[in-house]
Amino acid sequence: QGENLLYCFEVVPTQPALTQVTQCRTEGSTRGLAAVPRLALDVMACEVLRVLQLTDTALVPVSYLVPRKSVQDFHEDLFPDCAGTLPATNAQAWWAGDSQQVGRVSLHPGRRPTETFTSPVIAFTCHTDTGTGHTDTGHTDTGHADTDRSVSTGGYSSPSSLASPGSAATSLSASTGPSSGFASSPSQKSLQSILGPSSRFRHAQGRVLHRDCHLTNLRGLSITTPGECDGFCANHQRAALPLLSAGGQIAVLELSKPGRLPDVAMPTIQNSVAVSDLSWDPFDPRRLAVAGEDAKIRLWRIPQGGLQETLQEPEAILRGHTEKIYSIRFHPTASDLLVSSSYDMTVRIWDLSAEREVLCLQGHTDQIFSMAWSPDGKKLATVSKDGRIRLYEPRCSPQPQQEGPGPEGGRGARLVWVCGGDYLLVSGFDSRSERRILLYRAQALPEGPLSVLGLDVAPSTLLPFYDEDTSVVFLTGKGDTRVFLYEVTPELPYFLECNSFTSNEPHKGFVFLPKTACEVREVEFA
């Protein structure tokens, strides 16, 4: 009493017995609180609890919802039968030893008794016939799923919404699988049995490191790198960033020397043509591969200690593609092996020690959005604008070993291997431009995705990064401020939501450093 915070905890009979689900900041100080009977809840909007808050001047309903994709269906898992309103016995019989329990009634709107509990303050469950005072069970209003419904009777203020992102409270998001969802059940079922498992890493916190670690005063960055490129690349020693100036210049920054960069021009790599993608060699931290818009790949060697003067001569030039290159990827286990994809609709594998092409993979009929080597290096997966995912075994055949349906919408897609290389995670769009992630079994691409999860509507393709130690995937797009985190599991429900991270300003690129850069004493895992 006297406070304006409302905490919501889940109670289970096992450790940890108490888990905080959410907290809600109310407008006025609390003078008293009461929970509304379960029979009055708006079950079709997945309302699992409604609290009435008494303030100095008002009675305010606060509604708790578990967001679900469908509000047309009655969700049995959230609403088990509850105690009815008819007594089970009378006083004399109870003294005589009768211990019968009150009969249970269904919360399903179609199976309810007609005389249900109604009140002008708290019943926006169904259309109420004010003439007779009972609820019209024939028609349930499922048209509105929003919770910001103000109460028109009696001048009460509107309920505090827990589902609108703008309100002080957070949504009890269970729409995306069993995150820290919320349900109150008269039986002592734990939340796990209602909503399934939650991620061990759901409380992972993204934190921006101190300004002393930042590299600032970056000037003239190129913002025209294609969507297939991450925007820049980094290894544990340095970062390479394409610049806007003519001649395809690339800045190379030493990560060991953070701080403000000088205002004067710095030495750069003169690539001579615009950069379409670039990548550091995982086994040689001084070798940078750069794909150009002239269909050539140039290999550059950074001197020990970083760039002291402008580099103009590449170590090698790889020729073979006939059109502009989309993206390049180094092999995860073998040195001197690079793969590239191009507008000529081929994927070519290069031997860098011999500076020649060794294999050209066929089978694509449209733009190649993304490609990825499997963790063991045996297979290569690609996703294309023709709506197909293809899996190659380059040592066996230049034709795809299998293919399956990819994301709809030709706006862009990315893919990454997850769960030890047994599954493929693809980020893309649906036909209505909603960003979504899809999970496939790598051995069964023709069967289509095991699971599809819609995230939000935004124009940029989600770039996935997968941490194989925790099985957490990080997803964000260029121009986004939010990074989604999900733990990926090989069994249902496949995606377990974790805390997302929001940065103060939109990012133009987003890359992860090797695991060896993590401060393990701080339990930093990415």
Side-chain angles (χ1 to χ4, degrees):
Q1 290 187 338
E3 296 184 7
N4 66 342
L5 273 178
L6 197 55
Y7 296 96
C8 172
F9 284 88
E10 177 202 350
V11 188
V12 292
T14 55
Q15 288 296 332
L18 281 175
T19 313
Q20 184 169 338
V21 177
T22 178
Q23 65 181 50
C24 162
R25 189 174 293 277
T26 56
E27 288 174 26
S29 296
T30 300
R31 295 283 165 250
L33 280 175
V36 169
R38 288 182 65 75
L39 285 167
L41 297 179
D42 187 354
V43 292
M44 298 311 286
C46 297
E47 181 183 43
V48 291
L49 177 66
R50 197 182 311 153
V51 175
L52 292 183
Q53 179 208 25
L54 177 67
T55 68
D56 290 329
T57 57
L59 195 59
V60 183
V62 182
S63 177
Y64 287 81
L65 304 182
V66 175
R68 287 284 168 96
K69 266 285 179 345
S70 163
V71 288
Q72 272 75 43
D73 307 325
F74 175 73
H75 293 279
E76 307 262 358
D77 56 334
L78 295 180
F79 302 105
D81 293 352
C82 73
T85 53
L86 297 174
T89 182
N90 60 24
Q92 288 89 348
W94 183 81
W95 282 110
D98 186 355
S99 292
Q100 282 189 75
Q101 301 299 302
V102 172
R104 305 190 80 72
V105 295
S106 170
L107 289 174
H108 193 297
R111 299 201 287 269
R112 288 228 187 143
T114 45
E115 287 298 320
T116 56
F117 174 94
T118 59
S119 150
V121 182
I122 49 185
F124 11 67
T125 322
C126 307
H127 292 304
T128 311
D129 181 350
T130 48
T132 59
H134 71 80
T135 306
D136 170 15
T137 49
H139 176 72
T140 318
D141 181 7
T142 56
H144 49 247
D146 66 315
T147 53
D148 268 325
R149 287 162 289 180
S150 44
V151 186
S152 52
T153 26
Y156 297 110
S157 57
S158 70
S160 197
S161 159
L162 281 188
S164 71
S167 75
T170 50
S171 159
L172 305 174
S173 84
S175 58
T176 49
S179 58
S180 106
F182 175 77
S184 112
S185 156
S187 63
Q188 278 301 307
K189 274 193 287 190
S190 82
L191 195 64
Q192 293 266 329
S193 63
I194 295 177
L195 291 175
S198 57
S199 171
R200 294 170 297 161
F201 308 105
R202 63 185 180 277
H203 300 306
Q205 288 290 335
R207 185 165 59 91
V208 177
L209 297 185
H210 192 269
R211 270 193 88 78
D212 292 350
C213 314
H214 299 196
L215 286 142
T216 58
N217 200 31
L218 304 179
R219 294 159 170 266
L221 295 180
S222 169
I223 48 173
T224 57
T225 51
E228 291 76 27
C229 170
D230 290 348
F232 72 116
C233 66
N235 60 21
H236 59 284
Q237 293 181 356
R238 44 187 71 93
L241 302 98
L243 299 177
L244 206 51
S245 48
Q249 294 189 38
I250 302 166
V252 177
L253 308 178
E254 298 295 312
L255 299 182
S256 57
K257 300 173 184 171
R260 182 184 165 88
L261 298 177
D263 292 333
V264 296
M266 296 172 59
T268 58
I269 293 175
Q270 298 274 2
N271 195 57
S272 74
V273 292
V275 175
S276 55
D277 197 14
L278 68 178
S279 179
W280 291 105
D281 187 333
F283 306 112
D284 184 350
R286 289 170 46 208
R287 179 153 71 175
L288 179 70
V290 180
E293 296 194 351
D294 61 351
K296 296 173 188 159
I297 300 169
R298 291 168 175 78
L299 302 176
W300 299 90
R301 181 158 294 281
I302 310 301
Q304 200 76 42
L307 278 188
Q308 308 300 330
E309 55 188 16
T310 295
L311 275 189
Q312 294 182 329
E313 282 304 313
E315 191 177 56
I317 299 180
L318 307 175
R319 298 175 175 86
H321 282 296
T322 55
E323 302 213 26
K324 175 180 157 184
I325 296 171
Y326 294 121
S327 56
I328 51 176
R329 296 282 182 273
F330 275 96
H331 195 276
T333 62
S335 62
D336 294 324
L337 212 53
L338 181 77
V339 63
S340 61
S341 63
S342 156
Y343 274 86
D344 61 19
M345 289 191 267
T346 62
V347 173
R348 296 173 194 246
I349 299 176
W350 308 84
D351 179 347
L352 303 187
S353 54
E355 298 177 14
R356 66 183 182 88
E357 175 192 324
V358 284
L359 185 64
C360 179
L361 303 179
Q362 307 288 344
H364 294 96
T365 59
D366 207 335
Q367 181 180 349
I368 302 157
F369 284 141
S370 177
M371 55 186 182
W373 288 105
S374 60
D376 59 12
K378 293 177 183 174
K379 296 178 180 175
L380 182 76
T382 68
V383 57
S384 165
K385 193 175 183 175
D386 59 14
R388 307 294 288 169
I389 297 173
R390 294 175 175 84
L391 198 60
Y392 292 87
E393 275 203 63
R395 288 181 294 194
C396 300
S397 165
Q399 296 296 332
Q401 178 204 25
Q402 52 168 317
E403 55 179 271
E408 309 162 41
R411 297 188 47 185
R414 288 296 187 102
L415 85 173
V416 64
W417 293 79
V418 297
C419 302
D422 294 331
Y423 294 81
L424 274 167
L425 184 138
V426 181
S427 72
F429 297 88
D430 69 1
S431 52
R432 299 190 310 279
S433 297
E434 182 187 38
R435 297 198 291 190
R436 43 180 31 195
I437 50 178
L438 306 92
L439 190 70
Y440 294 81
R441 232 162 49 93
Q443 295 303 320
L445 286 185
E447 294 174 10
L450 289 170
S451 178
V452 180
L453 177 63
L455 295 184
D456 61 358
V457 176
S460 58
T461 309
L462 285 165
L463 315 178
F465 167 80
Y466 178 70
D467 176 53
E468 58 202 24
D469 301 338
T470 56
S471 207
V472 169
V473 66
F474 302 77
L475 300 130
T476 190
K478 295 180 193 174
D480 289 7
T481 54
R482 183 174 179 188
V483 183
F484 295 95
L485 272 74
Y486 287 92
E487 184 186 350
V488 186
T489 66
E491 62 271 337
L492 279 165
Y494 303 114
F495 299 114
L496 302 177
E497 190 178 11
C498 305
N499 269 343
S500 60
F501 165 71
T502 306
S503 58
N504 292 333
E505 46 192 81
H507 20 263
K508 293 184 168 56
F510 203 84
V511 299
F512 282 76
L513 292 176
K515 248 346 229 270
T516 48
C518 290
E519 182 55 77
V520 292
R521 283 171 298 212
E522 298 277 332
V523 204
E524 179 186 41
F525 70 99

